[in-house]
Amino acid sequence: MGKRLQAKHLKHSPNLIPQTETQKASTFLVKSRTPYVSALKTITKQLEKFEKTSNIKKFQNLQYKRVKYITVKGMGKSIEKTLSILLNFQERYKVDILTGSVEVLDEFEMEKKEGEDVDDDEEGEKVYKKRMVSSVEGRIWLKRD
């Protein structure tokens, strides 16, 4: 491990590529603060929207009919919760689980230490560090008869 930075960690979204409307509707991102039961209910509602018996006309047009599965993603410490959610749906749906690693970019803003004489230019300087984070992606396949 390298030397620890005395800096403020700035958080950013891991999504770099903008998603289409159908991708947004068929993807669920699990965070460490996502409540378990709430995630189960939200994913269940997403699955019901895409089924043929749904009364919502928006989800019956051509672009939404191409959706074959709902994607559930989690990184880092939310992997355990993501897997637990996916295993819950495995009883009723076909579920595929894919594991991998994602490269993330951390941004740090340098802070002035007490008793240290630092130029104004150096304070607020941004430092970027790359790191690899474990990730899991689950696909809950829709039942379209």
Side-chain angles (χ1 to χ4, degrees):
M1 292 272 313
K3 192 172 108 178
R4 187 170 179 97
L5 291 174
Q6 295 295 322
K8 180 181 176 187
H9 185 223
L10 304 172
K11 295 185 179 184
H12 296 286
S13 172
N15 299 331
L16 299 174
I17 302 168
Q19 293 182 328
T20 63
E21 189 177 340
T22 51
Q23 286 174 328
K24 283 181 187 175
S26 64
T27 304
F28 185 80
L29 301 176
V30 179
K31 299 175 185 169
S32 59
R33 293 179 285 185
T34 304
Y36 180 78
V37 175
S38 174
L40 291 177
K41 288 179 181 180
T42 305
I43 294 169
T44 302
K45 286 179 186 177
Q46 281 181 326
L47 290 166
E48 289 171 356
K49 284 180 189 175
F50 285 102
E51 290 178 1
K52 273 190 172 178
T53 57
S54 175
N55 294 332
I56 305 170
K57 294 215 185 255
K58 175 183 174 183
F59 292 97
Q60 299 308 315
N61 68 23
L62 188 61
Q63 72 184 36
Y64 288 100
K65 283 186 178 181
R66 291 187 190 139
V67 174
K68 293 180 173 38
Y69 53 81
I70 300 293
T71 306
V72 181
K73 295 180 180 182
M75 297 183 355
K77 67 180 185 178
S78 66
I79 287 178
E80 188 176 341
K81 190 180 293 187
T82 305
L83 289 172
S84 180
I85 290 167
L86 291 169
L87 291 175
N88 187 290
F89 284 100
Q90 200 170 27
E91 298 169 5
R92 295 169 282 164
Y93 297 92
K94 180 181 181 269
V95 176
D96 292 339
I97 298 174
L98 309 165
T99 59
S101 296
V102 179
E103 188 175 76
V104 295
L105 185 66
D106 290 329
E107 181 180 356
F108 297 96
E109 190 172 310
M110 299 304 287
E111 295 175 344
K112 185 176 180 179
K113 295 179 191 175
E114 287 185 34
E116 191 175 287
D117 192 26
V118 180
D119 294 338
D120 289 336
D121 296 340
E122 247 181 70
E123 189 176 339
E125 179 184 344
K126 293 190 171 142
V127 177
Y128 298 93
K129 298 262 182 179
K130 287 184 184 179
R131 65 184 166 100
M132 296 299 285
V133 178
S134 299
S135 68
V136 67
E137 178 180 322
R139 296 177 179 166
I140 304 172
W141 292 84
L142 297 170
K143 293 181 181 177
R144 293 217 170 135
D145 302 320

